[in-house]
Amino acid sequence: RQLLYGLMLRSGNDCAVALALHVGKSVENFAKMMNETAFKNAFLAGTKIKSFTTPEFMTTIPGAFFMNCTELEEVKYEGEITSIGAFAFYNTKISDIDSVLTDSVKSVGESAFGKNNLGDFTLKYVEGRSWGRDIFEEATLGDVIIEEGYKTVPSGMFDSSTITSVVIPDTVTTI
């Protein structure tokens, strides 16, 4: 409690360092924790943002992060994104799925790309990638090719979508 009061003083830097060390175990780790917290729901309410570049420390696109950012067309990754949360890109203008669903992504949450106009694309096979339900729920899709290697098409993957065609490889045994 006294450290919090000390933060309000002009010379309270030592209090800030003490709090950072206590909470984050190091000043650098505390700064990383604060940045991640600040980004968690930064765009949840929907904004007119058209392009976003992730900071290098970011490894996850949190659930609903860009949900209803109806003008968002492009996301660039500075670091390596390993997971995309549920509803992360729901109702955006992302149309190039390869730019956001990179080979480093190992986990994709429920309805992550729902209500988007994704056109034609190939769903690349990535060893160990897990899928949530209804990934492309209510999306407008063209010709979709699922690459060799997938054994399962997740439940409701294309639920309520408008889709031109889907090519499912022989490796798929469960739909």
Side-chain angles (χ1 to χ4, degrees):
R1 183 173 166 163
Q2 289 180 336
L3 286 175
L4 292 176
Y5 288 127
L7 284 175
M8 291 186 260
L9 298 174
R10 185 176 227 188
S11 60
N13 185 46
D14 53 337
C15 294
V17 171
L19 281 169
L21 293 174
H22 177 74
V23 173
K25 307 298 183 222
S26 73
V27 173
E28 294 77 17
N29 193 51
F30 181 75
K32 181 179 177 184
M33 290 169 58
M34 293 300 290
N35 283 333
E36 287 172 352
T37 300
F39 275 108
K40 188 166 184 176
N41 291 318
F43 305 106
L44 184 59
T47 67
K48 299 297 180 194
I49 188 170
K50 290 183 183 242
S51 179
F52 182 81
T53 301
T54 64
E56 194 170 326
F57 67 81
M58 194 173 194
T59 59
T60 298
I61 304 293
F65 192 66
F66 295 113
M67 184 177 187
N68 295 323
C69 289
T70 56
E71 300 300 314
L72 182 68
E73 297 173 348
E74 176 184 52
V75 175
K76 297 176 188 170
Y77 299 154
E78 280 295 315
E80 190 170 271
I81 299 298
T82 58
S83 69
I84 296 174
F87 297 91
F89 293 100
Y90 190 88
N91 196 27
T92 65
K93 281 190 176 176
I94 295 292
S95 60
D96 179 10
I97 195 162
D98 290 332
S99 68
V100 291
L101 192 56
T102 60
D103 291 348
S104 64
V105 175
K106 300 297 182 193
S107 172
V108 182
E110 177 182 349
S111 300
F113 297 100
K115 212 168 183 181
N116 277 297
N117 185 353
L118 296 170
D120 300 339
F121 65 92
T122 298
L123 201 53
K124 291 194 272 184
Y125 176 71
V126 174
E127 181 73 35
R129 180 178 281 165
S130 65
W131 298 95
R133 294 179 51 85
D134 309 325
I135 301 300
F136 302 105
E137 169 187 40
E138 297 183 46
T140 301
L141 309 171
D143 297 321
V144 178
I145 299 170
I146 299 175
E147 242 181 31
E148 288 282 328
Y150 285 105
K151 294 179 180 12
T152 302
V153 174
S155 178
M157 183 175 236
F158 304 107
D159 188 34
S160 301
S161 292
T162 302
I163 189 166
T164 305
S165 70
V166 179
V167 176
I168 299 174
D170 292 338
T171 55
V172 172
T173 57
T174 307
I175 296 178

